[in-house]
Amino acid sequence: MKKKRRYITFAMVAILALIAVIVIIQYRVRPSTAEAGSGRTLILEYTAEISGVPASNNPMKIFIPVAMDDEGQTLHGFEVAGDWDYEIVSEAEYENRFILINTTTEEYRANDEPVQVRYFVTRYDVSPVTAEGSRWPLTTEKERKYLTGTRMLPTTGKIAEEASSVAGNSYTDLTKARILYNHIVDTVEYDKSGEGWGRGDAMYACNVRKGNCTDFHSLFIAEARALGIPARFIMGLPLPADKDAGVIEGYHCWAEFYTDEKGWLPVDASEASKNPGKRDAYFGRLDRNRVAFTIGRDIRLPESKAEPLNFAIYPYVEIDGREHKDVEAAFEFEETTMSYVQIMLEGERNNDAG
């Protein structure tokens, strides 16, 4: 299918002007935990390449996570390239949002293009550990959710024993979390060799003492919950600190824990392990070199028969109600000084010229 041509009408100009005001406000009113002058604004291209689509006319669903919009990150907008009909759906437990493309295998094969989404995002350096007061008091239901053990995040047995022996005698939750964080940074190695790493298995990390970011933060989350500290998993993409454009090779994740005094506080134990001199910078603080997409584990996609996803960052595809695994994701970014409205207007001009 050919991309739809779009034209600027007076109504569209008026709408874009209104958006411009909103964008200006977003730039001027930074999140309360963001550090002054810390914004990193970029266009992030998310591409889903789906192969092996059968020559049939079966229903097909394509799920792509939507970048988050919160105190550490502003999502100014996004654009789905091409002629795809899509809707935005939210899953109930964590309120993660997904672009859902409902199509058919015949239509996908005829389109003969990958699915591409462009996100326009500003990411900030954040330091909630230095902010005053809790931003979002936890409800009882949410507190229970972020304290409950799961298959990959057990809160009993060896996990509970280690957490108690390491930090159980500390006075405040903030102190307990810092001691757990230090212990994990000191005793777990960032190592992606062998088998078992990368699934976010807290017991694997506890026993083997190595893994990637999912393993580091699963161990932290499980042990924090074992001590009665609500904790959760954040999945996203890393941004190279020394480049303003390029390819992003894979995902990155981190964790957050909750205290009544400070609200949600981030930790990035795997980055601290790789960069010992930045240990303090990754506890209760985060740099702007990342884009957050989803919260939580065991995510149930809306309008899908899929089993819960261990975590969500890559595209998920169903054909005739069954998972289609022949899917590749690619990510590229480019920093920009343009506003979202300027980018949209330039896109309209390019479409008009085409």
Side-chain angles (χ1 to χ4, degrees), residues 88-93 95-98 300-302:
I88 302 300
V89 295
S90 298
E91 51 85 24
E93 187 166 8
E95 301 177 353
N96 293 308
R97 296 189 301 159
F98 296 85
R300 294 185 179 275
L301 291 173

Side-chain angles (χ1 to χ4, degrees), residues 12-53:
M12 183 177 291
V13 170
I15 291 170
L16 290 173
L18 176 60
I19 295 172
V21 173
I22 295 170
V23 170
I24 290 169
I25 291 171
Q26 287 176 323
Y27 274 110
R28 296 169 90 182
V29 184
R30 291 190 324 277
S32 62
T33 60
E35 297 179 5
S38 71
R40 188 175 185 184
T41 299
L42 57 118
I43 300 168
L44 174 65
E45 291 189 352
Y46 182 123
T47 303
E49 184 81 54
I50 306 168
S51 305
V53 176

Side-chain angles (χ1 to χ4, degrees), residues 180-189 209 216 273 279:
L180 286 180
Y181 168 83
N182 286 344
H183 177 71
I184 290 169
V185 172
D186 286 337
T187 64
V188 180
E189 182 181 2
R209 313 309 294 189
F216 272 79
S273 175
R279 179 182 299 221

